[in-house]
Amino acid sequence: MNIIPKAKNFKESGTINIASTFQADEKLLCCKKAFFRIVFKIYGVHLKEGEGGINLCYDETLAKDEYVIEGATVKASDKEGASSGLATMLQLMEKAEEGFTLRNTCIRQKPDKDFRAFMTDLGRQWHEFEALIGYVDLCYLNKIKYLQLHFTDDPIWTYPMDEFPRLGNDATRYTKEEIKYLVEYAEEAGVQLIPEFEGIGHSKQLIAAYPELFGNTYEEETEEVQAVTGPNMGKVDNIMCVGKPGIFENIQKMLSDIAKTFKYSKYIHIGCDEAKHENWAHCSDCKAYMERQRMDSTKKLYSHFVEKIVDMCISLGKTPIVWEGFPYEGTENISRDCVVVAWESHYQLAPELLESGFKIINAAWKPMYIVPPHHKSLQWSVTDGDWNVYKWQHFLAMSAAYPDPIIVEPTDRVLGGMLCQWECSLEEERPRVLLNLPMTADRTWNVEGFYTDEEFHAAKAKIMEMSEKLI
Ligand SMILES: [Zn+2]
C-alpha cells in the first residue's frame, strides 16, 4: 500500500503501462498546468495532451474534495479532489523506458480535515523566492491545502508593501512581481496561500521604518519599557503603538494591500501574540486612547485592538487567523469568525477557546514546531507521542500541556493542524520538513486510522525521494 496519506480504501493488482499523456474533462482542465510541471520536476518528462495516459474525469456523484482512482483514471467533482487524486498518482507512477509504469489500484479518499497546513518563517532568515515555489510544489505533492507565509518578524520585513516603501530592503524583500507570480502558481496547484502580517508584537521592522506612524511615545524609562527598548531607550521597540492617531487607517492600508494581492486566499493571518502590553501604560498616545475609550487595563486595550483588526479582515472578505496569545480580558468582543491557532497551551487553552466559541487549529509546540538544529532536544517527529489534531503537548513546565497532554473531544471546530517552521534557514529546516510534512499530511487527512510510526517509516521512501526534487 504505502500511499501517503494512508488510503483507507485501497486495492491493488499488479502494474499497467501508460503513455506520457494526459487528458481531462473540460471542468477539470484547470488542474493540468500544475500536474504537467510537477511531473517534469519529479520525472523529467514533458507530458502531452492525448489518450493512453492519465485520464482525469469529472464525476458529480463524488463529494467535495473527494477523489477516486481506478487504474489510470482519476475522478473528482472539484479542483481540490482532482488535485489530490493527481498528487496520489505521482506516488503510483514510475518512469519506464516508454511512458510510465503505474501501480494498478482502486482508491477512494476524502480528507477528514480541511485545514492541513504548513507555515514557514520568512521573517528571521532570508529564503530565496525559489524556496517559496518549492514549498508550493511540496504542499501539492503532500495534499497540504494551506501554505502560510510568515512574511514579517523583528529581524526581516520581506513583503513589498506599496504604500509603505521604507519597509524592508531590496536584498531581503520579495518583489511585487514575484508575489503575483507565486499567487497564480499556488492557485494553479490548488494550494491556498495564507499571508501573515505579524502585528502588535514582533513589529520591530515596522517601528524602525515608520516610528512616527507605529512607534510608542514613552513618557518614562521604567524597567518594563527598558525590557524592550534597552538602556536609554536605545533599541527599537517591537510592540506597535495601538493608540497612535491614524493607526487603524494605516493598518487598513496594509491589510487592503494583502487582501487584494492574495485574491484567491480565504484567510489572512494577523499574528496578535506575544505583545508586552504593560508598556502601553507608559505611552502617552496609548494612555490618551484608553482614556477616550474608558478602558481601565492594557489587557483590554490588547483585545480591543485584536477585535478591530479582526473586523477589518472580515470587512475585506477574508477570514482572520490569530495566534493564541491575546488576553482573556475583552475576548468576548472578538468576532467568532476569527480562527485561533492554539500552539503554546499557555495564554489560552484549546478547551477554553472551543468553549468560548472559537474555531481552532492545532499547532502544538510538540510536535508541530520545527526549530533550528542547535535545539537538539526539540526535534520532534509528528508521530512522537501519538499526536493527532485533538491533542496538545509541550516540553516546558510553563505550558498547561506539560507534562500531561491536553486532549479535546472530537469536533468539527478543530479545523485541522499546521506544521510550523520557525527561525531556520532553508538548509536547516529542509530535512525536518521533508520528514514531518508527510507525517502531518497523514495525521490531518486521517484523524483516525493513520499510519503508526513504524508503518510511516516503511512507507515514506517514495514521497521523500520525490520531495527532495522539489525543495
Ligand atoms: Zn502607544
Side-chain angles (χ1 to χ4, degrees):
M1 133 108 110
N2 74 21
I3 298 302
I4 293 174
K6 186 175 177 178
K8 289 169 193 161
N9 299 295
F10 186 94
K11 284 181 204 148
E12 182 166 7
S13 56
T15 58
I16 51 176
N17 294 314
I18 59 167
S20 312
T21 55
F22 173 89
Q23 59 183 340
D25 188 293
E26 204 174 323
K27 291 194 181 76
L28 298 173
L29 259 182
C30 54
C31 300
K32 178 185 134 181
K33 202 169 171 183
F35 187 63
F36 275 39
R37 67 190 177 208
I38 204 160
V39 166
F40 180 71
K41 283 187 183 181
I42 291 172
Y43 294 106
V45 173
H46 286 293
L47 291 178
K48 291 195 178 69
E49 274 196 74
E51 293 178 3
I54 287 169
N55 184 18
L56 179 59
C57 298
Y58 176 77
D59 182 342
E60 63 180 8
T61 66
L62 296 180
K64 185 179 172 306
D65 306 344
E66 187 174 32
Y67 74 85
V68 166
I69 290 177
E70 289 165 354
T73 299
V74 179
K75 297 176 186 171
S77 68
D78 60 9
K79 183 179 175 182
E80 183 172 323
S83 299
S84 294
L86 292 171
T88 297
M89 272 295 188
L90 292 167
Q91 297 187 49
L92 300 170
M93 296 158 67
E94 285 297 341
K95 193 175 165 185
E97 273 196 24
E98 254 186 57
F100 291 93
T101 305
L102 183 70
R103 290 165 61 190
N104 187 24
T105 59
C106 282
I107 301 173
R108 184 170 188 146
Q109 247 193 324
K110 187 159 78 73
D112 289 341
K113 291 293 180 188
D114 176 78
F115 204 91
R116 308 180 307 278
F118 172 59
M119 188 224 76
T120 186
D121 178 0
L122 308 172
R124 264 57 172 259
Q125 297 212 50
W126 172 242
H127 287 60
E128 295 292 341
F129 179 68
E130 277 308 306
L132 308 190
I133 294 292
Y135 274 140
V136 173
D137 291 337
L138 202 59
C139 288
Y140 178 91
L141 176 65
N142 283 280
K143 301 187 265 278
I144 292 288
K145 184 171 175 179
Y146 297 98
L147 172 60
Q148 179 167 323
L149 303 168
H150 184 84
F151 277 118
T152 68
D153 215 297
D154 288 340
I156 320 181
W157 183 284
T158 63
Y159 183 79
M161 193 69 83
D162 284 343
E163 295 226 33
F164 300 92
R166 297 196 324 242
L167 283 168
N169 63 68
D170 291 349
T172 54
R173 185 180 53 208
Y174 304 109
T175 66
K176 209 78 183 178
E177 289 65 39
E178 285 172 335
I179 297 291
K180 280 183 184 161
Y181 180 84
L182 181 71
V183 165
E184 296 302 326
Y185 190 95
E187 168 66 9
E188 287 157 9
V191 174
Q192 273 209 36
L193 300 176
I194 303 177
E196 182 183 352
F197 164 74
E198 168 72 283
I200 311 189
H202 298 261
S203 297
K204 195 167 274 192
Q205 290 292 320
L206 195 62
I207 295 162
Y210 291 95
E212 71 281 15
L213 303 181
F214 301 103
N216 285 292
T217 308
Y218 293 121
E219 293 175 319
E220 54 204 328
E221 196 183 332
T222 64
E223 259 178 46
E224 282 167 339
V225 169
Q226 275 199 0
V228 289
T229 62
N232 305 316
M233 294 194 263
K235 286 195 285 184
V236 177
D237 191 2
N238 77 343
I239 307 151
M240 58 171 88
C241 176
V242 296
K244 204 84 172 171
I247 185 78
F248 293 114
E249 289 78 2
N250 286 318
I251 302 270
Q252 172 90 31
K253 281 180 195 167
M254 293 188 175
L255 292 177
S256 301
D257 180 316
I258 291 168
K260 199 169 130 200
T261 304
F262 291 87
K263 55 189 173 184
Y264 306 116
S265 298
K266 174 180 178 180
Y267 297 108
I268 293 182
H269 198 301
I270 49 176
C272 296
D273 63 324
E274 298 182 318
K276 204 172 173 325
H277 60 86
E278 297 88 345
N279 282 16
W280 291 323
H282 308 292
C283 165
S284 53
D285 288 323
C286 288
K287 274 164 68 179
Y289 185 82
M290 283 172 68
E291 265 172 46
R292 287 200 299 281
Q293 298 285 327
R294 300 194 177 159
M295 245 173 240
D296 56 7
S297 81
T298 52
K299 285 184 177 173
K300 283 185 189 159
L301 180 59
Y302 193 158
S303 294
H304 170 79
F305 195 76
V306 175
E307 174 200 333
K308 298 274 266 188
I309 51 176
V310 157
D311 289 348
M312 269 183 214
C313 284
I314 294 169
S315 71
L316 289 164
K318 304 292 187 187
T319 301
I321 307 180
V322 299
W323 300 110
E324 158 213 339
F326 51 89
Y328 290 100
E329 288 86 339
T331 294
E332 64 277 9
N333 297 321
I334 298 171
S335 166
R336 267 42 180 176
D337 289 335
C338 173
V339 176
V340 183
V341 184
W343 58 283
E344 185 116 87
S345 298
H346 175 58
Y347 303 95
Q348 301 212 19
L349 312 183
E352 298 166 356
L353 289 163
L354 290 171
E355 175 78 13
S356 71
F358 287 107
K359 295 190 189 82
I360 65 172
I361 292 158
N362 187 326
W365 235 107
K366 183 183 176 181
M368 303 304 274
Y369 272 24
I370 292 171
V371 291
H374 61 266
H375 296 298
K376 281 204 179 63
S377 59
L378 306 182
Q379 304 302 341
W380 322 111
S381 291
V382 176
T383 47
D384 291 348
D386 290 332
W387 179 83
N388 66 62
V389 295
Y390 301 123
K391 187 171 186 174
W392 279 261
Q393 303 161 104
H394 209 303
F395 69 101
L396 287 179
M398 53 79 85
S399 171
Y402 178 89
D404 299 321
I406 293 173
I407 295 169
V408 302
E409 287 295 310
T411 165
D412 288 345
R413 288 193 300 114
V414 176
L415 300 180
M418 179 157 72
L419 183 72
C420 302
Q421 172 289 113
W422 290 112
E423 300 181 12
C424 299
S425 65
L426 181 64
E427 195 183 28
E428 289 169 337
E429 78 218 30
R430 193 172 179 275
R432 303 304 307 178
V433 175
L434 289 177
L435 181 68
N436 284 2
L437 198 63
M439 290 175 156
T440 303
D442 187 34
R443 297 283 171 110
T444 50
W445 185 285
N446 297 308
V447 167
E448 286 178 350
F450 43 70
Y451 285 123
T452 62
D453 197 6
E454 203 172 299
E455 287 168 342
F456 175 83
H457 287 294
K460 72 186 179 188
K462 171 80 173 169
I463 203 160
M464 288 188 65
E465 183 193 317
M466 290 193 289
S467 301
E468 281 176 12
K469 295 179 178 170
L470 303 177
I471 61 160

PDB file of all heavy atoms in Angstrom, residues 262-273:
ATOM      1  N   PHE A 262      -3.481  38.830  -2.448  1.00  0.00           N
ATOM      2  CA  PHE A 262      -3.773  37.400  -2.264  1.00  0.00           C
ATOM      3  C   PHE A 262      -5.248  37.157  -2.537  1.00  0.00           C
ATOM      4  O   PHE A 262      -6.017  36.782  -1.659  1.00  0.00           O
ATOM      5  CB  PHE A 262      -3.340  36.951  -0.861  1.00  0.00           C
ATOM      6  CG  PHE A 262      -1.855  36.950  -0.699  1.00  0.00           C
ATOM      7  CD1 PHE A 262      -1.187  38.102  -0.310  1.00  0.00           C
ATOM      8  CD2 PHE A 262      -1.107  35.817  -0.993  1.00  0.00           C
ATOM      9  CE1 PHE A 262       0.198  38.127  -0.204  1.00  0.00           C
ATOM     10  CE2 PHE A 262       0.278  35.834  -0.892  1.00  0.00           C
ATOM     11  CZ  PHE A 262       0.925  36.990  -0.492  1.00  0.00           C
ATOM     12  N   LYS A 263      -5.605  37.389  -3.793  1.00  0.00           N
ATOM     13  CA  LYS A 263      -7.016  37.432  -4.154  1.00  0.00           C
ATOM     14  C   LYS A 263      -7.712  36.080  -4.035  1.00  0.00           C
ATOM     15  O   LYS A 263      -8.920  36.026  -3.877  1.00  0.00           O
ATOM     16  CB  LYS A 263      -7.168  37.990  -5.572  1.00  0.00           C
ATOM     17  CG  LYS A 263      -6.365  37.252  -6.613  1.00  0.00           C
ATOM     18  CD  LYS A 263      -6.400  37.991  -7.942  1.00  0.00           C
ATOM     19  CE  LYS A 263      -5.446  37.318  -8.925  1.00  0.00           C
ATOM     20  NZ  LYS A 263      -5.354  38.022 -10.190  1.00  0.00           N
ATOM     21  N   TYR A 264      -6.964  34.971  -4.115  1.00  0.00           N
ATOM     22  CA  TYR A 264      -7.602  33.647  -4.028  1.00  0.00           C
ATOM     23  C   TYR A 264      -7.656  33.126  -2.586  1.00  0.00           C
ATOM     24  O   TYR A 264      -8.220  32.079  -2.336  1.00  0.00           O
ATOM     25  CB  TYR A 264      -6.841  32.627  -4.877  1.00  0.00           C
ATOM     26  CG  TYR A 264      -6.648  33.042  -6.321  1.00  0.00           C
ATOM     27  CD1 TYR A 264      -5.364  33.268  -6.824  1.00  0.00           C
ATOM     28  CD2 TYR A 264      -7.737  33.197  -7.171  1.00  0.00           C
ATOM     29  CE1 TYR A 264      -5.175  33.636  -8.148  1.00  0.00           C
ATOM     30  CE2 TYR A 264      -7.560  33.572  -8.495  1.00  0.00           C
ATOM     31  CZ  TYR A 264      -6.271  33.792  -8.979  1.00  0.00           C
ATOM     32  OH  TYR A 264      -6.091  34.165 -10.280  1.00  0.00           O
ATOM     33  N   SER A 265      -7.017  33.828  -1.664  1.00  0.00           N
ATOM     34  CA  SER A 265      -6.873  33.292  -0.305  1.00  0.00           C
ATOM     35  C   SER A 265      -8.116  33.529   0.531  1.00  0.00           C
ATOM     36  O   SER A 265      -8.666  34.629   0.543  1.00  0.00           O
ATOM     37  CB  SER A 265      -5.671  33.957   0.392  1.00  0.00           C
ATOM     38  OG  SER A 265      -4.478  33.659  -0.299  1.00  0.00           O
ATOM     39  N   LYS A 266      -8.505  32.488   1.241  1.00  0.00           N
ATOM     40  CA  LYS A 266      -9.633  32.623   2.170  1.00  0.00           C
ATOM     41  C   LYS A 266      -9.189  33.341   3.447  1.00  0.00           C
ATOM     42  O   LYS A 266      -9.925  34.136   4.008  1.00  0.00           O
ATOM     43  CB  LYS A 266     -10.153  31.220   2.515  1.00  0.00           C
ATOM     44  CG  LYS A 266     -11.231  31.191   3.574  1.00  0.00           C
ATOM     45  CD  LYS A 266     -11.693  29.765   3.855  1.00  0.00           C
ATOM     46  CE  LYS A 266     -12.742  29.766   4.967  1.00  0.00           C
ATOM     47  NZ  LYS A 266     -13.215  28.411   5.283  1.00  0.00           N
ATOM     48  N   TYR A 267      -7.969  33.036   3.888  1.00  0.00           N
ATOM     49  CA  TYR A 267      -7.505  33.512   5.192  1.00  0.00           C
ATOM     50  C   TYR A 267      -6.407  34.579   5.089  1.00  0.00           C
ATOM     51  O   TYR A 267      -5.582  34.547   4.178  1.00  0.00           O
ATOM     52  CB  TYR A 267      -6.897  32.351   5.986  1.00  0.00           C
ATOM     53  CG  TYR A 267      -7.845  31.228   6.332  1.00  0.00           C
ATOM     54  CD1 TYR A 267      -7.764  29.985   5.703  1.00  0.00           C
ATOM     55  CD2 TYR A 267      -8.812  31.391   7.333  1.00  0.00           C
ATOM     56  CE1 TYR A 267      -8.619  28.936   6.044  1.00  0.00           C
ATOM     57  CE2 TYR A 267      -9.670  30.344   7.674  1.00  0.00           C
ATOM     58  CZ  TYR A 267      -9.563  29.127   7.029  1.00  0.00           C
ATOM     59  OH  TYR A 267     -10.400  28.092   7.369  1.00  0.00           O
ATOM     60  N   ILE A 268      -6.397  35.472   6.073  1.00  0.00           N
ATOM     61  CA  ILE A 268      -5.212  36.304   6.349  1.00  0.00           C
ATOM     62  C   ILE A 268      -4.856  36.049   7.811  1.00  0.00           C
ATOM     63  O   ILE A 268      -5.737  36.045   8.670  1.00  0.00           O
ATOM     64  CB  ILE A 268      -5.497  37.815   6.178  1.00  0.00           C
ATOM     65  CG1 ILE A 268      -5.786  38.168   4.720  1.00  0.00           C
ATOM     66  CG2 ILE A 268      -4.313  38.646   6.674  1.00  0.00           C
ATOM     67  CD1 ILE A 268      -6.039  39.660   4.486  1.00  0.00           C
ATOM     68  N   HIS A 269      -3.573  35.804   8.071  1.00  0.00           N
ATOM     69  CA  HIS A 269      -3.139  35.643   9.467  1.00  0.00           C
ATOM     70  C   HIS A 269      -2.589  36.986   9.953  1.00  0.00           C
ATOM     71  O   HIS A 269      -1.765  37.592   9.270  1.00  0.00           O
ATOM     72  CB  HIS A 269      -2.063  34.558   9.547  1.00  0.00           C
ATOM     73  CG  HIS A 269      -1.861  34.019  10.932  1.00  0.00           C
ATOM     74  ND1 HIS A 269      -1.493  34.819  11.983  1.00  0.00           N
ATOM     75  CD2 HIS A 269      -1.988  32.776  11.440  1.00  0.00           C
ATOM     76  CE1 HIS A 269      -1.387  34.075  13.076  1.00  0.00           C
ATOM     77  NE2 HIS A 269      -1.693  32.842  12.786  1.00  0.00           N
ATOM     78  N   ILE A 270      -3.065  37.433  11.105  1.00  0.00           N
ATOM     79  CA  ILE A 270      -2.657  38.761  11.573  1.00  0.00           C
ATOM     80  C   ILE A 270      -1.842  38.712  12.874  1.00  0.00           C
ATOM     81  O   ILE A 270      -1.722  39.717  13.573  1.00  0.00           O
ATOM     82  CB  ILE A 270      -3.894  39.695  11.743  1.00  0.00           C
ATOM     83  CG1 ILE A 270      -4.999  39.002  12.557  1.00  0.00           C
ATOM     84  CG2 ILE A 270      -4.411  40.132  10.390  1.00  0.00           C
ATOM     85  CD1 ILE A 270      -6.197  39.889  12.855  1.00  0.00           C
ATOM     86  N   GLY A 271      -1.270  37.563  13.173  1.00  0.00           N
ATOM     87  CA  GLY A 271      -0.357  37.480  14.315  1.00  0.00           C
ATOM     88  C   GLY A 271      -1.081  37.614  15.643  1.00  0.00           C
ATOM     89  O   GLY A 271      -1.823  36.743  16.061  1.00  0.00           O
ATOM     90  N   CYS A 272      -0.806  38.747  16.331  1.00  0.00           N
ATOM     91  CA  CYS A 272      -1.504  39.097  17.586  1.00  0.00           C
ATOM     92  C   CYS A 272      -1.010  38.373  18.837  1.00  0.00           C
ATOM     93  O   CYS A 272      -1.691  38.414  19.866  1.00  0.00           O
ATOM     94  CB  CYS A 272      -3.021  38.930  17.470  1.00  0.00           C
ATOM     95  SG  CYS A 272      -3.769  40.046  16.286  1.00  0.00           S
ATOM     96  N   ASP A 273       0.158  37.756  18.797  1.00  0.00           N
ATOM     97  CA  ASP A 273       0.659  37.091  20.004  1.00  0.00           C
ATOM     98  C   ASP A 273       1.849  37.853  20.575  1.00  0.00           C
ATOM     99  O   ASP A 273       2.429  38.725  19.933  1.00  0.00           O
ATOM    100  CB  ASP A 273       1.101  35.654  19.688  1.00  0.00           C
ATOM    101  CG  ASP A 273       2.267  35.625  18.703  1.00  0.00           C
ATOM    102  OD1 ASP A 273       2.282  36.482  17.796  1.00  0.00           O
ATOM    103  OD2 ASP A 273       3.143  34.774  18.838  1.00  0.00           O
TER     104      ASP A 273
END
